[in-house]
Structures are given as structure tokens and as C-alpha cells.
Amino acid sequence: MFAIKYTDRLLNMVGWFLTAFVLEKNFRTTHAMLVLHVWMCLVRLRSEDKDGADFGQALYEIYNEDLERRVVTAGVCNHNLKLFSPFLRCF
């Protein structure tokens, strides 16, 4: 539940960026902004001790669950999600 509320707050920030930089509001731009934000958080967390790295891993897993939900909502077939599995294992 926390992850959904946090993601909704991030999407509100994304809305501000979209307006400020005159970007289209679609899955692609929203996803790009969320990826950038999560990446910045992960870089910061991984520079901390083991607790920071563990929290970063948990954040990344929550992000991926949310991403799968958004991809399905956007109408992408589930069999395409399996293509991401090798990339996720490498991460």
C-alpha cells in the first residue's frame, strides 16, 4: 500500500515536469521520469552501508511490481513481460 501511495506522489511530480518541459503525458514519458527518479534513489542508497543496499533492492522490487501493473494497464500482453526476466536477473 505504501508503494502505491508513494508512486502516486511521484506521478504528481511527473505531472509538474510534463507541464514545465511541455512533454506529452503518455506511458513513455511517465515511465522515463519514474526510471530516472528510481535510478537516482538507487545510486544514493547503494552508496550507503549494507542496510542502504538492502533497502535499495526492496525499492527496486517494489518498483518492478508497480511497473508490471502499469504495463498491463497500458495494454501490453503478459507474454511480453517475460522478455524482461533476463534483464531483471542481470540487475
Side-chain angles (χ1 to χ4, degrees):
M1 189 62 153
F2 170 76
I4 293 171
K5 287 182 181 179
Y6 185 72
T7 303
D8 289 341
R9 282 184 31 204
L10 285 176
L11 289 176
N12 288 336
M13 286 188 258
V14 168
W16 180 85
F17 278 103
L18 296 175
T19 303
F21 295 106
V22 192
L23 299 170
E24 286 184 52
K25 184 175 183 175
N26 56 31
F27 181 83
R28 184 178 186 178
T29 54
T30 302
H31 175 67
M33 297 304 267
L34 289 173
V35 165
L36 178 61
H37 180 78
V38 169
W39 176 78
M40 289 188 296
C41 291
L42 291 176
V43 168
R44 174 69 174 94
L45 286 168
R46 287 183 178 168
S47 68
E48 296 295 323
D49 58 4
K50 181 162 174 27
D51 290 338
D54 291 343
F55 185 80
Q57 183 62 40
L59 174 67
Y60 183 74
E61 290 170 9
I62 291 168
Y63 168 75
N64 277 320
E65 290 171 8
D66 183 66
L67 174 62
E68 286 182 21
R69 182 180 54 85
R70 291 180 187 284
V71 167
V72 170
T73 301
V76 177
C77 298
N78 282 336
H79 70 276
N80 289 338
L81 294 176
K82 293 177 184 173
L83 297 174
F84 292 118
S85 295
F87 300 113
L88 294 176
R89 274 184 259 134
C90 291
F91 185 80

